[in-house]
Amino acid sequence: MTNKIKPQPGILDIALYQGGASAIAGKTQVLKLSSNENPHGASDAAKAAFQRAVHELHRYPSTDHAALRKAIAGVYKLDQDHIICGVGSDEIIHFLCQAYAGKGDEVIHTEHGFLMYRISAMAAGATPVEVAERDRTVDVDAILAACSKKTRLVFIANPANPTGTMISQAEMARLADGLPPQAILVLDGAYAEFAEGYDGGAALVESRDNVVMTRTFSKLYGLGGLRVGWGYAPREIIDVLNRIRGPFNLSGVALATAEAAVRDLDFSAKCRADNARWRGWLVAALRDVGLGCDESHANFVLARFASPAEAEACDLRLQSEGIIVRRVASYKLPDCLRITVGDEAACRRVAHIIGQFKGEGA
Ligand SMILES: *Cc1c(COP(=O)(O)O)cnc(C)c1O
């Protein structure tokens, strides 16, 4: 059979994204620590807004997202005219690639970087370029050395996923200032709220014309199921991205719920404090049983085992106890497991099983 229907060049080279697992065969009760979801769910205020929005389902939503942008701008002390909202920050990443990179252009991501950067670059017809990290941390010198006349976008997550490490404000500024003139630095701030005293790169966006920040409601705000993210960028870039954004990309339900979520400062403060406390506890517990574990600035920790085989065996052991964590071999970390920081009970339980596992092997 000769099939003349073919996608654009490069599309079939894209490896399908594999999300964090959410089920174990034969188990009805599972503890899911594989997708960096908020263990407290969404705030009551957000759920109430979701319920109220039910009465408006027949209405088309706002196209300019003015109310949500105003709420975000108020809470984060930003300029609402420099904000764009998307279907998760994934959509903002997609817009950036579509608008700024095409055939013959290069998009830089790092060794253990988020897989969506590569997927979006290839979907736009551009060439992804992978740059090595140093000790599981973004290496600014290596990125600058990899830049060329073809570089259009540089993606880094700060804090990074799945490593949890981050680079300093000074390093981010050095990266932005060292890029070739046609390139944009994208600071993915999906986990920015979990890093103490960090603005996600907002000040860098405001003081430069080549920096974009992306943020999400999927992590701190516990709204991963709703799909809402946003970007903060110079006005020229926002105007470009708005041209390719669908006019009704976000539903009225999503807009109303996200707005209530971002305004619920007490809930986000509680989630942040809880995460910091149990993240520190979990890192210490993993180190106590002899695992490698970098300090994390996010809502997960990365446990390093002696070998890929040991990581796999521990993963299977956790599954047999009904606990799902994330294998990160596709992020070039085959000897590691990424574990979301759950609530107190979840952290104690996962640490206990891993401790038992390590004890048996000794
Ligand atoms: C979870 C995550 C996101 C968020 O994606 P959404 O599309 O907003 O759900 C973005 N970047 C990284 C690195 C992430 O881990």
Side-chain angles (χ1 to χ4, degrees), residues 87-90 114 117 157 161 188 190-191 216 218-219 227-229:
V87 179
S89 48
D90 281 358
F114 191 40
Y117 310 147
N161 172 22
D188 179 339
Y191 302 99
T216 185
S218 301
K219 307 289 158 57
R227 315 303 307 128
V228 189

